[in-house]
Amino acid sequence: MIDYSPLWETMKARNISTYQLIEKHHFGKATIHKLRHNENVTVVTLERLCQILHCEVSDIVKLS
């Protein structure tokens, strides 16, 4: 199972809020909802998050 809890820790460390993802980076509210509930998102979404947060996929996703 995919767990996005590292994403929220990385966002906090980088001072990026979900509001910024939605307003500045044009993420959809449905995508944020999926991330919050550990639902499937595309690899493109993960790539965009890594670019925004200047991190690796392992910094935002873990397998549980």
Side-chain angles (χ1 to χ4, degrees):
M1 178 176 207
I2 293 176
D3 181 9
Y4 295 111
S5 58
L7 168 64
W8 312 114
E9 297 166 15
T10 302
M11 286 175 59
K12 186 175 181 179
R14 306 282 198 285
N15 292 318
I16 300 287
S17 67
T18 55
Y19 177 81
Q20 288 173 305
L21 289 179
I22 294 167
E23 294 297 320
K24 183 178 178 185
H25 300 286
H26 310 291
F27 276 77
K29 292 178 183 179
T31 301
I32 301 299
H33 175 83
K34 287 179 180 183
L35 291 166
R36 282 192 175 139
H37 293 91
N38 295 321
E39 296 177 5
N40 293 333
V41 295
T42 66
V43 174
V44 172
T45 297
L46 298 177
E47 183 180 20
R48 285 182 59 210
L49 285 168
C50 288
Q51 289 173 347
I52 292 164
L53 297 170
H54 306 286
C55 68
E56 300 293 324
V57 173
S58 61
D59 296 322
I60 62 174
V61 176
K62 70 178 180 179
L63 297 176
S64 57

